[in-house]
Amino acid sequence: MSELRDTPGSTMTFAPRPTGSPTTFAGERISYQRLIETELAALELAVRGIADVPNAVLARTLSIVLGAGGKRLRPALVLLASHGNPHASLERRIALATAAELLHTATLVHDDVIDLAASRRGSQTVNHVFGNTLAVLTGDYLFGKSGELVAGLGSPPIMSVFSWAVMELVKGEMLRPQLTDDLAETEREYVAKIRGKTAVLLAMACETGSMLDADDPQARSSMHAYGMSLGMAFQIIDDVLDFTATEAELGKPVGNDLRQGTVTLPSILYMREHPDDSSVRRVLNGGASDSETEHAVDAVRHSKAIESSRQCAARYVAEAVGHLSTMPNTPARRALEALAEFVVIRHD
Ligand code: FPP
Ligand code: MG
């Protein structure tokens, strides 16, 4: 954890975290980042440069949220999806990739206000340190800046996909999967929620990247579908890691979703496999003691539900890779395949 105090005047240190690691694909040592190394370095400068504003308070809050690292997955998708577009300049690709990262960051800043979250990515949240007003305004600024960058590309179709993603994100954030006796319905609601809150943004990054200074409807639809399936896999693995990673890796307590009453796939599958154990249901309904909560988190963590959830994510990864099959076998396509494989084996 970075050393922050709970006052606006505090001295803050923010150590950037590593942005992903090499992975393997088809026996070949390959990193989805290697192909776009130059672009990612330029992106990092562009993203951090957004915090360079004359307003001291805004500069401070922006540097917290933009300097906290993260996987830069959405910009990587924009950069890979636009990699083969001969007319797309580096500057325009970086602008779109930065917009994707800023929109993602804006949603997280607002989400932390909604969820009353105190920490994210191992650092304290803006709402926790500076309060809700400044957090909402910081998210608004990032949202505005991402829109400005996309508008600057001068492409109404790209702007339209960007706006679609924003509206879907809002609808996804509004969904609250209900826990009833009908677990199949709870699972359907969970799927709708993760589609909205995660998959849509990955689909937007992929689709708009493929559209940048190019006109290939087949590539556009393949990249949209790839991003959507990848996003589903990514979020399911996130929900698995919430149980299986360490507190240090997560930057929050193990089993945080369950403790907060948030229904995710591992909990749903656990309840389906253990109809006689009501502990998970009681935790989700807010009626469990501390020891019962610990039991429930531990029970899910060590159950078959984890492996079943991973298998579900792996099916989405296979689906994502399948959507690439209509595309030419380029280095960018192979990097997108590697990225999809990486999503299921990642540890944070
Ligand atoms: C995190 O979910 C939530 C999101 C990624 C989406 C948030 C979307 C909004 C606030 C609406 C749109 C906002 C803007 C600025 C257009 P989580 O709480 O389950 O995950 P977490 O553990 O990462 O917090
Ligand atoms: Mg949240």
Side-chain angles (χ1 to χ4, degrees):
M1 296 283 279
S2 60
E3 290 170 2
L4 300 183
R5 283 182 284 121
D6 288 350
T7 57
S10 63
T11 306
M12 304 175 192
T13 56
F14 299 100
R17 305 174 82 201
T19 54
S21 54
T23 182
T24 59
F25 177 70
E28 187 189 350
R29 190 92 183 140
I30 185 170
S31 162
Y32 71 84
Q33 294 177 324
R34 198 166 302 146
L35 187 66
I36 48 171
E37 227 156 21
T38 315
E39 291 96 320
L40 285 174
L43 170 97
E44 205 53 43
L45 288 177
V47 167
R48 286 168 193 256
I50 299 296
D52 191 8
V53 290
N55 179 315
V57 176
L58 186 59
R60 191 92 170 257
T61 57
L62 288 174
S63 66
I64 292 180
V65 293
L66 298 173
K71 290 175 265 302
R72 308 296 194 216
L73 177 65
R74 291 134 193 100
L77 290 171
V78 170
L79 294 168
L80 289 171
S82 60
H83 191 264
N85 300 0
H87 303 296
S89 67
L90 177 64
E91 196 188 350
R92 286 166 65 75
R93 291 171 64 218
I94 297 295
L96 182 55
T98 305
E101 185 66 7
L102 298 189
L103 174 59
H104 171 56
T105 310
T107 68
L108 296 183
V109 173
H110 281 183
D111 176 70
D112 286 338
V113 172
I114 295 166
D115 289 351
L116 312 172
S119 69
R120 174 176 292 281
R121 294 173 179 165
S123 295
Q124 292 188 61
T125 56
V126 180
N127 50 293
H128 188 66
V129 180
F130 294 96
N132 283 350
T133 303
L134 285 182
V136 169
L137 292 172
T138 300
D140 288 344
Y141 183 87
L142 288 165
F143 182 34
K145 193 75 199 173
S146 65
E148 182 186 65
L149 286 167
V150 176
L153 297 170
S155 165
I158 289 182
M159 191 77 229
S160 164
V161 177
F162 176 85
S163 302
W164 162 80
V166 171
M167 292 183 286
E168 292 300 308
L169 273 159
V170 170
K171 288 191 270 176
E173 181 78 350
M174 281 181 170
L175 292 176
R176 293 276 172 265
Q178 291 304 306
L179 182 58
T180 62
D181 286 341
D182 185 357
L183 286 176
E185 176 59 16
T186 305
E187 188 177 340
R188 274 193 293 278
E189 289 176 8
Y190 165 81
V191 166
K193 166 116 194 154
I194 67 171
R195 176 196 175 276
K197 77 168 187 175
T198 305
V200 152
L201 194 35
L202 272 61
M204 185 276 277
C206 293
E207 184 176 356
T208 56
S210 77
M211 293 164 72
L212 190 62
D213 302 319
D215 183 18
D216 182 344
Q218 173 66 57
R220 181 177 168 181
S221 112
S222 300
M223 287 310 300
H224 175 98
Y226 164 85
M228 203 60 111
S229 301
L230 181 74
M232 299 300 288
F234 183 84
Q235 187 57 51
I236 291 169
I237 292 298
D238 231 45
D239 294 341
V240 166
L241 291 174
D242 193 75
F243 284 101
T244 60
T246 63
E247 186 162 344
E249 285 167 332
L250 291 169
K252 56 189 173 184
V254 175
N256 194 52
D257 289 336
L258 179 51
R259 294 172 198 276
Q260 304 280 316
T262 303
V263 185
T264 62
L265 191 60
S267 299
I268 295 172
L269 297 184
Y270 180 86
M271 287 184 284
R272 185 173 293 156
E273 283 163 17
H274 300 84
D276 299 331
D277 180 356
S278 58
S279 62
V280 169
R281 193 173 276 276
R282 265 206 298 279
V283 177
L284 288 170
N285 286 331
S289 64
D290 286 354
S291 67
E292 194 171 21
T293 301
E294 294 314 318
H295 160 82
V297 169
D298 225 47
V300 176
R301 183 183 168 94
H302 294 109
S303 72
K304 260 174 51 195
I306 296 296
E307 187 46 32
S308 308
S309 302
R310 283 190 179 282
Q311 284 168 4
C312 182
R315 284 195 292 276
Y316 277 115
V317 164
E319 200 176 273
V321 171
H323 290 305
L324 298 174
S325 64
T326 52
M327 298 180 64
N329 190 6
T330 60
R333 173 178 151 184
R334 289 196 294 278
L336 287 166
E337 287 166 346
L339 189 156
E341 303 292 340
F342 169 73
V343 157
V344 272
I345 59 167
R346 73 198 169 96
H347 294 289
D348 68 355

